[in-house]
Amino acid sequence: MKIIKFKTNINSEGCLATVAPFLNGADFISNWQVDTSDPGKLLTVSGEGLEPQQIQNLVEEAGFKAEVLRVQG
């Protein structure tokens, strides 16, 4: 399983509600969460065969930004 962390501008429950349908609808994502209490608003995504650009595209479609910080796996 691959885990990718992103710095985002997803900073509230409203933002989470906006981005959720995009991330939940992706078959290649097993799990995701955003730590809105972290200054970087860290988005952590896990799944099989993940590519950072795929996640960035989904987040951008939802109207937010995502910068890759770390890829594990």
Side-chain angles (χ1 to χ4, degrees):
M1 174 150 328
K2 189 180 270 189
I3 299 171
I4 307 175
K5 294 187 181 270
F6 299 86
K7 178 180 178 182
T8 73
N9 61 343
I10 300 168
N11 58 22
S12 69
E13 291 298 319
C15 294
L16 286 171
T18 301
V19 78
F22 292 88
L23 297 177
N24 289 341
D27 294 340
F28 50 86
I29 296 175
S30 299
N31 189 30
W32 66 272
Q33 64 182 25
V34 178
D35 183 357
T36 57
S37 65
D38 184 280
K41 311 304 180 203
L42 293 181
L43 166 63
T44 303
V45 180
S46 60
E48 296 297 331
L50 292 178
E51 293 300 328
Q53 190 62 52
Q54 294 172 305
I55 309 304
Q56 286 175 302
N57 289 346
L58 291 171
V59 171
E60 288 174 8
E61 280 183 56
F64 299 96
K65 296 180 182 176
E67 175 187 335
V68 179
L69 295 178
R70 184 171 56 224
V71 178
Q72 299 170 291

